[in-house]
Amino acid sequence: MSTSDKRAFAALGLPPSFPIIWQDSVVYERARVGRVFNYRRPSRYPRAVVEATSEDHIVNAVRLANSIGCRVSVRSGGHSWAAWSVREGAVLIDLGKFFHFHLDKDTGVLEASPSMTGRMVNRLLAPHDRMFPGGHCPDVALGGFLLQGGMGWNCKNWGFACEKVLAVDVVTAEGEKLHCDEKENSDIFWAARGAGPGFPAIVTRFYVQTLPSFTHIRSSAYIYEKKDYRKAMEWILRITPNFDESTEIVAVGNNIPGRAGGHITILLLTLKNNEEDARAALQPAQDSAPPGHVISWFAKESSLLQEYDDQHAANPNGHRYAVDNGYIKNDADVISVMEKAFTTLPTEKTFALWYSMGPGSRRSAAKGTMPDMALSMHTDHYFAAYSIWENEYDDKRCQGWVKSVFAQAHEHLEGSYLGDADFQVRGCKFWADEQGKKLMDVRKKWDPRGVVAGYLDDGDKSGAGGLSNENEWQAKTKI
């Protein structure tokens, strides 16, 4: 801590118990990256870390940053692949110890802090027969997940999770506390549903509409060897558009423990309230699945907690990750666009994913079938590649594989989803044109000096201006 930082800190009159960790602290490195999920740690060093446990801690962290002339960054769960929260010279506000949970049992409206993960929320909601479609990975926190849109459970039919956000409480770049909804500070509320890490304030509380829970969660799976990639994908693409509205559908290129060679896993998960409805929902896939699957099951009993465990196994802690994604154009040859990713996995834990987004992807704010909000980029086909490895010496090879996949796919993509993006690697379109422009205007209005660290692009240069919201494929996909 510099002499000037000490003077600024003292001038604020904060108590000795204020939970700040400066660079010269013996626990600084733990505070800097200890909660970063991706073990490919960034070489960026915040000026200090504030481990907030109250809203006042957040306000005073912003006041301190303004006093010493630096930015603030925010960490909810630490699950962003690029470690967006770890910013050079900033005051990092870590919300990992800041918890709030209150359910209105009459309305089903939940008040929750950004640090609450999907698994935490659903465990606490279960005794009340409620659920919330949070992130599939259990340790993804609400903060980043909801701000970037929230591709949660059964997103293809229920919509993005941020559509269920009714209001937010925030601390602004000036350290002011505000409540934001459709009537009060409505432009901040508009941005909170889809702005992602460029949101120009710090969310301290989400107000979200929960759903009634489901008593019968069942899954079916059909696993093919990768030589049958086209056969499996042709089938699932054919049956998906008119499938049951309570069933999510995913295809994964992965490796199956105990079996040599890559595989294509088609997985369907339905959420119902009785066994008969669950089996009926999954039956069309059972009846039409092409022969040749080497492993399969039908209407197997599951639960959200079991699904979280399965997702955790597929996204292990303590590993290095490189990730990219895109929304494939609806008129593209979807199977060909994804083939390299699904059939050339560089490590045993790496996987590629196709997530069905229709029919929800055909909605829009202009048609009145989707809320007016920053989130506005989607197609029927979500495609992502997750390279996972353990040793630093594999960095170049595994990162290069992801780049090569999207260098080949880029011309067939409409844009990308913020949650699986790294703006340092590739510029992209994340919002429709009108919404993208409005979002950057909202950012400039509420944070003209760029106090809240925004989009971490190459060299962290975007500042208050934000992202260009353009597909910059040629410049960014070189390998």
Side-chain angles (χ1 to χ4, degrees):
M1 178 168 57
S2 69
T3 302
S4 60
D5 287 354
K6 289 180 180 179
R7 286 198 296 265
F9 184 75
L12 292 174
L14 300 176
S17 60
F18 187 72
I20 191 165
I21 299 168
W22 298 95
Q23 282 190 352
D24 57 2
S25 169
V26 294
V27 296
Y28 171 77
E29 187 63 8
R30 172 203 52 82
R32 183 181 81 94
V33 295
R35 290 206 317 118
V36 170
F37 181 79
N38 189 350
Y39 263 46
R40 190 162 53 86
R41 305 303 203 196
S43 298
R44 302 186 295 271
Y45 295 86
R47 203 158 178 163
V49 180
V50 174
E51 296 184 333
T53 59
S54 72
E55 194 174 47
D56 285 342
H57 288 157
I58 298 168
V59 170
N60 285 317
V62 174
R63 291 175 60 212
L64 174 63
N66 282 320
S67 177
I68 62 181
C70 72
R71 300 179 298 171
V72 294
S73 61
V74 187
R75 177 184 297 146
S76 296
H79 211 286
S80 72
W81 307 112
W84 291 328
S85 61
V86 184
R87 308 300 275 271
E88 187 66 34
V91 172
L92 165 55
I93 302 174
D94 192 310
L95 303 178
K97 298 178 180 178
F98 176 59
F99 292 106
H100 176 80
F101 181 97
H102 174 73
L103 176 67
D104 185 321
K105 297 176 185 177
D106 294 327
T107 64
V109 174
L110 169 67
E111 300 176 21
S113 56
S115 60
M116 299 290 292
T117 68
R119 178 154 54 186
M120 287 179 189
V121 166
N122 279 307
R123 276 179 171 164
L124 291 170
L125 287 174
H128 306 286
D129 296 323
R130 307 293 296 183
M131 68 159 291
F132 185 72
H136 290 72
C137 295
D139 42 11
V140 168
L142 291 181
F145 174 73
L146 290 174
L147 283 176
Q148 65 205 12
M151 198 179 290
W153 298 105
N154 199 26
C155 182
K156 73 186 291 292
N157 298 299
W158 294 346
F160 288 88
C162 72
E163 297 178 50
K164 293 171 178 59
V165 176
L166 305 177
V168 291
D169 290 342
V170 306
V171 173
T172 70
E174 299 300 322
E176 180 185 7
K177 298 179 185 179
L178 295 178
H179 181 76
C180 311
D181 57 25
E182 288 186 341
K183 296 181 179 179
E184 186 178 3
N185 303 305
S186 59
D187 54 349
I188 297 181
F189 175 64
W190 179 91
R193 297 192 292 178
F199 183 64
I202 301 163
V203 177
T204 59
R205 188 169 300 178
F206 289 98
Y207 298 77
V208 301
Q209 182 64 59
T210 63
L211 304 175
S213 59
F214 295 87
T215 59
H216 287 69
I217 299 178
R218 301 290 184 265
S219 72
S220 290
Y222 306 88
I223 302 176
Y224 297 83
E225 294 179 339
K226 72 177 181 182
K227 66 181 178 61
D228 290 325
Y229 164 75
R230 286 187 167 268
K231 178 172 70 173
M233 289 304 304
E234 286 169 358
W235 162 61
I236 201 63
L237 286 174
R238 185 174 65 253
I239 69 170
T240 292
N242 300 309
F243 214 81
D244 174 79
E245 63 181 13
S246 295
T247 304
E248 71 169 31
I249 301 173
V250 63
V252 184
N254 58 352
N255 291 292
I256 305 299
R259 291 192 58 87
H263 292 75
I264 311 301
T265 298
I266 308 297
L267 183 65
L268 302 93
L269 185 74
T270 195
L271 299 96
K272 297 289 186 179
N273 284 317
N274 63 68
E275 186 70 19
E276 182 180 2
D277 286 350
R279 295 179 71 88
L282 296 170
Q283 194 65 49
Q286 179 74 0
D287 293 341
S288 61
H293 41 84
V294 294
I295 301 172
S296 67
W297 62 81
F298 173 68
K300 183 171 72 173
E301 184 175 351
S302 189
S303 66
L304 274 187
L305 297 183
Q306 178 60 54
E307 294 300 316
Y308 281 133
D309 288 344
D310 293 346
Q311 290 287 336
H312 177 75
N315 296 269
N317 292 325
H319 286 66
R320 304 169 79 84
Y321 286 78
V323 178
D324 207 343
N325 78 95
Y327 290 111
I328 301 175
K329 295 176 181 177
N330 287 338
D331 60 357
D333 180 350
V334 175
I335 295 173
S336 295
V337 171
M338 301 191 302
E339 187 166 12
K340 178 176 182 177
F342 272 67
T343 59
T344 65
L345 306 176
T347 70
E348 284 297 306
K349 293 186 172 80
T350 294
F351 64 94
L353 175 147
W354 169 82
Y355 190 46
S356 172
M357 297 296 291
S361 53
R362 300 302 175 109
R363 300 174 304 138
S364 72
K367 297 176 183 176
T369 53
M370 187 173 184
D372 181 20
M373 55 188 180
L375 181 75
S376 46
M377 172 59 61
H378 47 231
T379 69
D380 293 351
H381 309 284
Y382 179 69
F383 164 47
Y386 304 78
S387 188
I388 308 172
W389 68 102
E390 296 181 56
N391 297 304
E392 186 176 356
Y393 62 73
D394 272 332
D395 281 5
K396 185 175 181 180
R397 178 174 69 91
C398 293
Q399 289 175 267
W401 177 78
V402 175
K403 286 187 176 183
S404 70
V405 164
F406 283 89
Q408 180 175 304
H410 69 80
E411 63 184 294
H412 306 291
L413 305 179
E414 194 74 36
S416 290
Y417 174 64
L418 288 160
D420 284 336
D422 184 348
F423 320 126
Q424 301 169 104
V425 176
R426 182 165 65 86
C428 195
K429 190 167 187 174
F430 297 102
W431 308 275
D433 291 338
E434 180 182 346
Q435 287 85 349
K437 182 181 183 305
K438 178 178 177 179
L439 175 58
M440 298 312 146
D441 289 343
V442 171
R443 296 181 73 253
K444 291 171 188 174
K445 172 186 172 181
W446 285 98
D447 188 15
R449 295 180 292 116
V451 173
V452 182
Y455 301 104
L456 177 61
D457 61 354
D458 188 18
D460 200 0
K461 297 178 293 191
S462 71
L467 299 176
S468 66
N469 195 37
E470 296 176 356
N471 288 329
E472 302 166 353
W473 307 116
Q474 299 301 333
K476 297 291 185 178
T477 52
K478 292 179 181 178
I479 55 175

